[in-house]
Amino acid sequence: MDNLELNLHNWRSYKYQKINLPLNSFSLIDNNGSGKTSLISAIFSLLTGKAWPSTSFNQHLATEQSYFGVGTSFSDWFLNGQIRPSGRLGTVYEKPEHVLDFNGLQLDPQAWPIIQTYTPTDNLWLSQSRNSKLQRLDQLIAASSNSGFEKAIKTLNKLVKEKQAMIKREQDFPNSADPILIKTVTEQITSTSQLIWTQRLGFFQFIDQNIKLFRNWVATTIPPIKIRWSMTKAGPNKQSLLLQGQEVDLNHTLDWQSLWQKEVIVGRVLYGAQRDDFVFESDHRDVVGIFSRGEMRLFVLFLFSLSKDNFVEERPTWWLLDDVFNELDKEREKIIYDQILSKSQFFMATGTKPPHLPTDIFSLSELIKNN
């Protein structure tokens, strides 16, 4: 099979469209607003069962529609979504249980490819709010972890919302909170955070050990880069600042009663892995204020590429990159190709200008299948 037929129903800008997806690496070049991001997000969701990074499935549902579908010519490989009577969007995802062979490009259920992505907003990743930074970081860690990290993140978010509601009730109705329930939820936040902290710190240490490789990518006079991160410590009165290389004791006892009293005064949950933060520094300065836009794009892609080397399983890597080459010169395009794309089994990159790369280039009109 030369191409993979995609069937899109009510997916973002597509009401109904059949698309022939090339199964060799290629660049999709077309105008802004033509539907490139809609297509690449559909491919990502079909391969992972998840929404495009930093989005939700609700955002992919075409305007004023109650369902969407992303399918293939294979009956057992599809993603469907429909608004339920409750008003929530429910999704069903299924992928093949057998090996699919596309002219040597195999999709094996036992070794499904690692899907790496880049979006234009990723260039702002390290200058975003703490919550946004952690969300993207956790996506990288979840992809390289088989220890239930993603489940722990969801559990922590649920626990924090639950405790936040308890704090709000206590503020509205003083002395109404159940001390036993407060302690139970706090202990659950602690135990869940410990699992998350272990994974995050291990990931930071892995990056710190390899970050010097970035200097091999680009010629730069910037001093060596280090990671500085912080996490909430036992006790409600302060955070501990953890410099790279320090030992971290995660087995501590929390004074939950004092913590609760301060949380009620402040009005928010003050303890847990959701309050972590991190920054990449060079000569004690945040790289966000040092790097140019092009250097930042290379640095973010370096971190994303490096993360795949921390994967637990050996699997092929597929890259989906949206508007990655815009505003990059020929030299930096070559760095991305040589250091990342040429080492992957498959990649799709979108943009508005053709890159200077040895790959096929298509427009959307060339991929759309006439019914």
Side-chain angles (χ1 to χ4, degrees), residues 36-285:
K36 300 188 301 297
T37 300
S38 295
L39 175 57
I40 201 171
S41 66
I43 296 169
F44 175 82
S45 295
L46 187 62
L47 289 167
T48 65
K50 301 177 181 179
W52 184 245
S54 302
T55 68
S56 66
F57 279 128
N58 294 65
Q59 295 171 275
H60 297 305
L61 186 65
T63 305
E64 298 181 353
Q65 299 297 323
S66 60
Y67 77 96
F68 67 70
V70 180
T72 69
S73 52
F74 300 94
S75 60
D76 56 350
W77 189 11
F78 62 86
L79 170 71
N80 291 329
Q82 186 171 5
I83 296 179
R84 297 170 175 167
S86 64
R88 294 187 176 183
L89 181 67
T91 59
V92 178
Y93 174 62
E94 184 174 329
K95 69 180 182 181
E97 296 182 355
H98 53 280
V99 176
L100 302 179
D101 191 330
F102 305 96
N103 288 344
L105 185 59
Q106 291 191 342
L107 283 174
D108 184 347
Q110 304 304 316
W112 201 254
I114 297 163
I115 310 302
Q116 293 278 75
T117 65
Y118 174 87
T119 72
T121 56
D122 284 328
N123 212 47
L124 305 174
W125 174 42
L126 297 177
S127 59
Q128 291 177 328
S129 67
R130 177 178 61 199
N131 289 341
S132 297
K133 284 201 300 182
L134 289 177
Q135 182 181 29
R136 196 69 173 98
L137 172 74
D138 290 339
Q139 289 171 348
L140 294 176
I141 299 175
S144 64
S145 173
N146 61 1
S147 60
F149 180 81
E150 193 170 14
K151 182 179 178 180
I153 293 294
K154 292 179 180 178
T155 299
L156 178 63
N157 291 336
K158 180 179 178 181
L159 291 169
V160 170
K161 288 181 180 178
E162 182 179 345
K163 193 174 185 184
Q164 195 67 49
M166 294 167 60
I167 292 172
K168 181 65 168 61
R169 285 196 298 269
E170 179 67 12
Q171 289 177 322
D172 294 340
F173 306 100
N175 302 317
S176 62
D178 183 345
I180 296 178
L181 182 58
I182 296 169
K183 182 179 180 181
T184 299
V185 173
T186 304
E187 288 177 344
Q188 289 174 333
I189 288 176
T190 301
S191 60
T192 306
S193 292
Q194 286 175 337
L195 188 154
I196 295 170
W197 281 327
T198 300
Q199 293 292 317
R200 281 181 182 167
L201 295 175
F203 191 69
F204 283 149
Q205 289 167 352
F206 173 79
I207 291 178
D208 188 64
Q209 292 168 2
N210 294 277
I211 204 169
K212 58 182 177 291
L213 297 175
F214 181 66
R215 296 175 65 82
N216 296 334
W217 278 32
V218 293
T220 176
T221 58
I222 296 174
I225 302 169
K226 296 180 179 291
I227 310 171
R228 180 167 56 86
W229 64 85
S230 62
M231 58 181 279
T232 49
K233 190 180 181 182
N237 298 320
K238 60 182 178 180
Q239 283 191 331
S240 65
L241 194 62
L242 304 175
L243 298 179
Q244 128 286 333
Q246 274 187 254
E247 293 294 326
V248 181
D249 180 15
L250 301 178
N251 300 313
H252 49 247
T253 303
L254 184 68
D255 183 356
W256 65 270
Q257 289 181 319
S258 298
L259 174 63
W260 171 253
Q261 293 169 3
K262 185 169 184 180
E263 287 178 329
V264 172
I265 294 173
V266 176
R268 65 177 184 273
V269 180
L270 296 176
Y271 181 75
Q274 80 283 355
R275 292 184 57 80
D276 292 359
D277 202 359
F278 65 97
V279 62
F280 289 92
E281 293 183 335
S282 180
D283 196 22
H284 305 290
R285 292 187 299 162

